[in-house]
mmCIF file of all heavy atoms in Angstrom:
data_model
loop_
_atom_site.group_PDB
_atom_site.id
_atom_site.type_symbol
_atom_site.label_atom_id
_atom_site.label_comp_id
_atom_site.label_asym_id
_atom_site.label_seq_id
_atom_site.Cartn_x
_atom_site.Cartn_y
_atom_site.Cartn_z
ATOM 1 N N LEU A 1621 47.488 30.378 -30.777
ATOM 2 C CA LEU A 1621 47.117 31.753 -30.267
ATOM 3 C C LEU A 1621 48.281 32.317 -29.447
ATOM 4 O O LEU A 1621 48.545 33.482 -29.654
ATOM 5 C CB LEU A 1621 45.875 31.769 -29.306
ATOM 6 C CG LEU A 1621 44.513 31.601 -29.934
ATOM 7 C CD1 LEU A 1621 43.457 31.335 -28.815
ATOM 8 C CD2 LEU A 1621 44.240 32.875 -30.770
ATOM 9 N N ALA A 1622 49.030 31.595 -28.804
ATOM 10 C CA ALA A 1622 50.174 32.171 -28.022
ATOM 11 C C ALA A 1622 51.137 32.806 -28.990
ATOM 12 O O ALA A 1622 51.642 33.814 -28.807
ATOM 13 C CB ALA A 1622 50.817 31.111 -27.248
ATOM 14 N N HIS A 1623 51.328 32.046 -30.102
ATOM 15 C CA HIS A 1623 52.301 32.423 -31.111
ATOM 16 C C HIS A 1623 51.783 33.626 -31.808
ATOM 17 O O HIS A 1623 52.379 34.687 -31.933
ATOM 18 C CB HIS A 1623 52.504 31.302 -32.093
ATOM 19 C CG HIS A 1623 53.497 31.601 -33.207
ATOM 20 N ND1 HIS A 1623 54.853 31.759 -32.936
ATOM 21 C CD2 HIS A 1623 53.298 31.966 -34.529
ATOM 22 C CE1 HIS A 1623 55.472 32.082 -34.099
ATOM 23 N NE2 HIS A 1623 54.495 32.275 -35.007
ATOM 24 N N ALA A 1624 50.563 33.579 -32.280
ATOM 25 C CA ALA A 1624 49.924 34.725 -33.071
ATOM 26 C C ALA A 1624 49.779 36.041 -32.220
ATOM 27 O O ALA A 1624 49.908 37.085 -32.780
ATOM 28 C CB ALA A 1624 48.551 34.217 -33.637
ATOM 29 N N GLU A 1625 49.421 35.838 -30.963
ATOM 30 C CA GLU A 1625 49.167 37.089 -30.040
ATOM 31 C C GLU A 1625 50.316 37.348 -29.262
ATOM 32 O O GLU A 1625 50.290 38.452 -28.471
ATOM 33 C CB GLU A 1625 48.058 36.768 -29.195
ATOM 34 C CG GLU A 1625 46.601 36.457 -29.997
ATOM 35 C CD GLU A 1625 46.064 37.765 -30.614
ATOM 36 O OE1 GLU A 1625 46.418 38.963 -30.206
ATOM 37 O OE2 GLU A 1625 45.400 37.535 -31.618
ATOM 38 N N GLN A 1626 51.524 36.715 -29.355
ATOM 39 C CA GLN A 1626 52.716 37.080 -28.627
ATOM 40 C C GLN A 1626 52.424 37.144 -27.160
ATOM 41 O O GLN A 1626 52.893 38.037 -26.499
ATOM 42 C CB GLN A 1626 53.314 38.374 -29.150
ATOM 43 C CG GLN A 1626 53.902 38.330 -30.534
ATOM 44 C CD GLN A 1626 54.995 37.359 -30.511
ATOM 45 O OE1 GLN A 1626 56.054 37.592 -29.850
ATOM 46 N NE2 GLN A 1626 54.864 36.300 -31.316
ATOM 47 N N VAL A 1627 51.728 36.105 -26.635
ATOM 48 C CA VAL A 1627 51.448 36.003 -25.204
ATOM 49 C C VAL A 1627 51.830 34.612 -24.790
ATOM 50 O O VAL A 1627 52.133 33.675 -25.566
ATOM 51 C CB VAL A 1627 50.018 36.213 -24.802
ATOM 52 C CG1 VAL A 1627 49.606 37.774 -25.089
ATOM 53 C CG2 VAL A 1627 49.016 35.297 -25.628
ATOM 54 N N ALA A 1628 52.041 34.409 -23.431
ATOM 55 C CA ALA A 1628 52.228 33.099 -22.957
ATOM 56 C C ALA A 1628 50.981 32.461 -22.369
ATOM 57 O O ALA A 1628 50.162 33.197 -21.747
ATOM 58 C CB ALA A 1628 53.200 33.018 -21.731
ATOM 59 N N ILE A 1629 50.648 31.264 -22.882
ATOM 60 C CA ILE A 1629 49.268 30.649 -22.523
ATOM 61 C C ILE A 1629 49.677 29.171 -21.898
ATOM 62 O O ILE A 1629 50.315 28.443 -22.460
ATOM 63 C CB ILE A 1629 48.409 30.411 -23.729
ATOM 64 C CG1 ILE A 1629 48.168 31.746 -24.390
ATOM 65 C CG2 ILE A 1629 47.093 29.720 -23.279
ATOM 66 C CD1 ILE A 1629 47.146 31.794 -25.497
ATOM 67 N N THR A 1630 49.157 29.132 -20.599
ATOM 68 C CA THR A 1630 49.313 27.761 -19.969
ATOM 69 C C THR A 1630 47.986 27.227 -19.727
ATOM 70 O O THR A 1630 47.003 27.822 -19.187
ATOM 71 C CB THR A 1630 50.027 28.014 -18.543
ATOM 72 O OG1 THR A 1630 50.991 28.928 -18.638
ATOM 73 C CG2 THR A 1630 50.427 26.708 -17.924
ATOM 74 N N VAL A 1631 47.871 25.944 -20.158
ATOM 75 C CA VAL A 1631 46.587 25.316 -19.877
ATOM 76 C C VAL A 1631 46.748 24.173 -18.969
ATOM 77 O O VAL A 1631 47.555 23.312 -19.051
ATOM 78 C CB VAL A 1631 46.054 24.606 -21.233
ATOM 79 C CG1 VAL A 1631 44.791 23.732 -21.039
ATOM 80 C CG2 VAL A 1631 45.972 25.481 -22.416
ATOM 81 N N THR A 1632 45.965 24.337 -17.766
ATOM 82 C CA THR A 1632 46.156 23.378 -16.645
ATOM 83 C C THR A 1632 44.752 22.657 -16.478
ATOM 84 O O THR A 1632 43.787 23.257 -16.300
ATOM 85 C CB THR A 1632 46.476 24.098 -15.389
ATOM 86 O OG1 THR A 1632 47.523 24.928 -15.523
ATOM 87 C CG2 THR A 1632 46.783 23.055 -14.189
ATOM 88 N N ALA A 1633 44.910 21.136 -16.686
ATOM 89 C CA ALA A 1633 43.766 20.423 -16.418
ATOM 90 C C ALA A 1633 43.404 20.456 -14.945
ATOM 91 O O ALA A 1633 44.383 20.194 -14.062
ATOM 92 C CB ALA A 1633 43.945 19.063 -16.929
ATOM 93 N N GLN A 1634 42.159 20.903 -14.562
ATOM 94 C CA GLN A 1634 41.900 20.983 -13.144
ATOM 95 C C GLN A 1634 41.137 19.695 -12.573
ATOM 96 O O GLN A 1634 41.451 19.305 -11.461
ATOM 97 C CB GLN A 1634 41.045 22.120 -12.834
ATOM 98 C CG GLN A 1634 41.786 23.500 -12.847
ATOM 99 C CD GLN A 1634 41.101 24.515 -12.121
ATOM 100 O OE1 GLN A 1634 39.902 24.798 -12.523
ATOM 101 N NE2 GLN A 1634 41.648 25.153 -11.112
ATOM 102 N N ARG A 1635 40.292 19.226 -13.398
ATOM 103 C CA ARG A 1635 39.346 18.091 -12.866
ATOM 104 C C ARG A 1635 38.947 17.376 -14.208
ATOM 105 O O ARG A 1635 38.611 17.976 -15.173
ATOM 106 C CB ARG A 1635 38.146 18.626 -12.218
ATOM 107 C CG ARG A 1635 38.274 18.943 -10.701
ATOM 108 C CD ARG A 1635 36.954 19.080 -10.071
ATOM 109 N NE ARG A 1635 36.239 20.028 -10.753
ATOM 110 C CZ ARG A 1635 36.289 21.372 -10.558
ATOM 111 N NH1 ARG A 1635 37.272 21.839 -9.864
ATOM 112 N NH2 ARG A 1635 35.529 22.306 -11.198
ATOM 113 N N ASN A 1636 38.771 16.085 -13.981
ATOM 114 C CA ASN A 1636 38.281 15.157 -15.049
ATOM 115 C C ASN A 1636 37.259 14.305 -14.385
ATOM 116 O O ASN A 1636 37.783 13.281 -13.621
ATOM 117 C CB ASN A 1636 39.446 14.460 -15.648
ATOM 118 C CG ASN A 1636 39.073 13.987 -17.033
ATOM 119 O OD1 ASN A 1636 37.907 14.041 -17.414
ATOM 120 N ND2 ASN A 1636 40.064 13.568 -17.803
ATOM 121 N N THR A 1637 36.038 14.423 -14.423
ATOM 122 C CA THR A 1637 35.110 13.692 -13.719
ATOM 123 C C THR A 1637 34.452 12.741 -14.627
ATOM 124 O O THR A 1637 33.828 13.129 -15.686
ATOM 125 C CB THR A 1637 33.994 14.554 -13.031
ATOM 126 O OG1 THR A 1637 34.465 15.665 -12.380
ATOM 127 C CG2 THR A 1637 33.135 13.789 -12.173
ATOM 128 N N PRO A 1638 34.666 11.430 -14.502
ATOM 129 C CA PRO A 1638 34.192 10.469 -15.430
ATOM 130 C C PRO A 1638 32.592 10.478 -15.501
ATOM 131 O O PRO A 1638 31.892 10.751 -14.442
ATOM 132 C CB PRO A 1638 34.691 9.125 -15.010
ATOM 133 C CG PRO A 1638 35.258 9.337 -13.626
ATOM 134 C CD PRO A 1638 35.310 10.798 -13.352
ATOM 135 N N SER A 1639 32.164 10.105 -16.593
ATOM 136 C CA SER A 1639 30.587 9.901 -16.715
ATOM 137 C C SER A 1639 30.229 8.665 -15.941
ATOM 138 O O SER A 1639 31.105 7.761 -15.687
ATOM 139 C CB SER A 1639 30.168 9.744 -18.125
ATOM 140 O OG SER A 1639 30.918 8.607 -18.806
ATOM 141 N N VAL A 1640 29.019 8.630 -15.439
ATOM 142 C CA VAL A 1640 28.553 7.414 -14.698
ATOM 143 C C VAL A 1640 27.085 6.922 -15.211
ATOM 144 O O VAL A 1640 26.294 7.692 -15.282
ATOM 145 C CB VAL A 1640 28.340 7.865 -13.112
ATOM 146 C CG1 VAL A 1640 27.743 6.861 -12.303
ATOM 147 C CG2 VAL A 1640 29.744 8.356 -12.540
ATOM 148 N N PRO A 1641 27.166 5.605 -15.547
ATOM 149 C CA PRO A 1641 25.892 4.987 -16.098
ATOM 150 C C PRO A 1641 24.969 4.688 -14.791
ATOM 151 O O PRO A 1641 25.645 4.346 -13.827
ATOM 152 C CB PRO A 1641 26.358 3.822 -16.714
ATOM 153 C CG PRO A 1641 27.722 3.488 -16.262
ATOM 154 C CD PRO A 1641 28.290 4.710 -15.688
ATOM 155 N N ILE A 1642 23.711 4.659 -15.012
ATOM 156 C CA ILE A 1642 22.876 4.238 -14.002
ATOM 157 C C ILE A 1642 22.458 2.871 -14.338
ATOM 158 O O ILE A 1642 22.002 2.548 -15.426
ATOM 159 C CB ILE A 1642 21.602 5.104 -13.803
ATOM 160 C CG1 ILE A 1642 21.951 6.612 -13.551
ATOM 161 C CG2 ILE A 1642 20.628 4.595 -12.788
ATOM 162 C CD1 ILE A 1642 22.579 6.882 -12.129
ATOM 163 N N ALA A 1643 22.553 1.772 -13.395
ATOM 164 C CA ALA A 1643 22.196 0.465 -13.623
ATOM 165 C C ALA A 1643 20.841 0.386 -14.099
ATOM 166 O O ALA A 1643 19.933 1.058 -13.563
ATOM 167 C CB ALA A 1643 22.485 -0.303 -12.332
#
Side-chain angles (χ1 to χ4, degrees):
L1621 281 172
H1623 181 73
E1625 299 291 336
Q1626 291 298 297
V1627 292
I1629 304 185
T1630 317
V1631 179
T1632 309
Q1634 282 198 307
R1635 274 192 306 284
N1636 200 350
T1637 312
S1639 59
V1640 172
I1642 301 290

